[in-house]
Amino acid sequence: FPMKALPDRFEHICSDEMEELRSEMLEMRDMYMEEDVYQLQELRQQLEQANKTCRILQYRLRKAERRSLRVAQTGQVDGELIRTLEQDVKVAKDVSIRLHSQLDSVEKKRSHLDQENEELRVRLQDLEVAKQVLQQEIDKVGSQYPNREEHVCLRVHQDVLVGAAQ
């Protein structure tokens, strides 16, 4: 290469390096965002199921309250009412246990996702810092050694690849 073409070549190679780093970062972000969207949809479905169960329990509670009021007004308790109330209590206990289990599961998933999101935020910040450091090093080396730009840029590229592989 002629001496005049080296800075342009160096700039082009470094520009390609930066674009490649930027693409890798965007690809990582997109991959994790897709996973987060899927997990969010799953959590919303679980929440919808819990809301449905709550509506059923509210209906049964109102029904039991009406029966209780009828018993209070008439003073009579019939066998059917007692059996229905016992069944409602059993169902309510079963649903309560299931809801607590689902709530624990959803809370664990949420906690895991929060932790994972924080780790990804830190990793993304680290990548941004590494990108800035690399750019500064490229600029520094390019200004100090104008005849060795291409060699240095290739060396930086190798270091980036080694760092990414680790």
Side-chain angles (χ1 to χ4, degrees):
F1 289 101
M3 200 62 158
K4 288 183 180 180
L6 281 178
D8 292 338
R9 179 78 176 136
F10 175 71
E11 184 177 324
H12 177 70
I13 290 172
C14 292
S15 173
D16 289 348
E17 296 291 325
M18 295 303 290
E19 187 59 37
E20 191 173 316
L21 282 172
R22 190 175 298 113
S23 293
E24 287 177 25
M25 289 172 47
L26 290 173
E27 185 177 322
M28 282 180 51
R29 187 194 68 190
D30 290 347
M31 181 178 69
Y32 287 111
M33 285 181 68
E34 286 175 13
E35 186 176 320
D36 286 348
V37 166
Y38 171 76
Q39 290 174 346
L40 180 62
Q41 287 173 343
E42 186 177 304
L43 289 174
R44 283 183 178 160
Q45 288 174 347
Q46 291 175 355
L47 180 61
E48 189 176 307
Q49 181 62 37
N51 283 336
K52 181 179 177 183
T53 302
C54 285
R55 285 193 303 272
I56 291 170
L57 289 175
Q58 287 173 340
Y59 168 76
R60 289 185 179 187
L61 177 62
R62 286 192 303 271
K63 187 176 174 183
E65 286 172 344
R66 285 193 306 270
R67 288 183 187 146
S68 175
L69 184 59
R70 187 175 73 212
V71 167
Q73 289 172 346
T74 64
Q76 296 178 337
V77 179
D78 59 5
E80 179 186 343
L81 177 60
I82 291 174
R83 283 189 302 277
T84 303
L85 290 174
E86 287 173 347
Q87 182 182 4
D88 287 349
V89 167
K90 183 178 182 285
V91 168
K93 284 181 182 178
D94 291 343
V95 168
S96 175
I97 290 169
R98 185 169 46 93
L99 285 174
H100 282 289
S101 175
Q102 287 177 350
L103 181 61
D104 287 343
S105 174
V106 167
E107 183 59 31
K108 286 177 185 175
K109 286 180 184 178
R110 186 197 59 78
S111 176
H112 175 73
L113 289 174
D114 285 347
Q115 180 182 358
E116 190 176 307
N117 281 338
E118 183 58 30
E119 290 169 2
L120 289 174
R121 259 188 232 102
V122 168
R123 187 169 177 196
L124 186 59
Q125 287 173 346
D126 291 345
L127 285 172
E128 286 289 337
V129 169
K131 178 181 141 187
Q132 291 172 357
V133 168
L134 283 174
Q135 184 61 50
Q136 290 171 354
E137 287 179 18
I138 289 169
D139 294 345
K140 181 180 175 182
V141 170
S143 66
Q144 290 177 353
Y145 303 102
N147 295 332
R148 299 182 58 195
E149 293 93 352
E150 188 170 341
H151 173 73
V152 170
C153 193
L154 291 175
R155 174 72 177 148
V156 169
H157 176 66
Q158 289 171 347
D159 291 345
V160 169
L161 290 178
V162 169
Q166 293 173 353

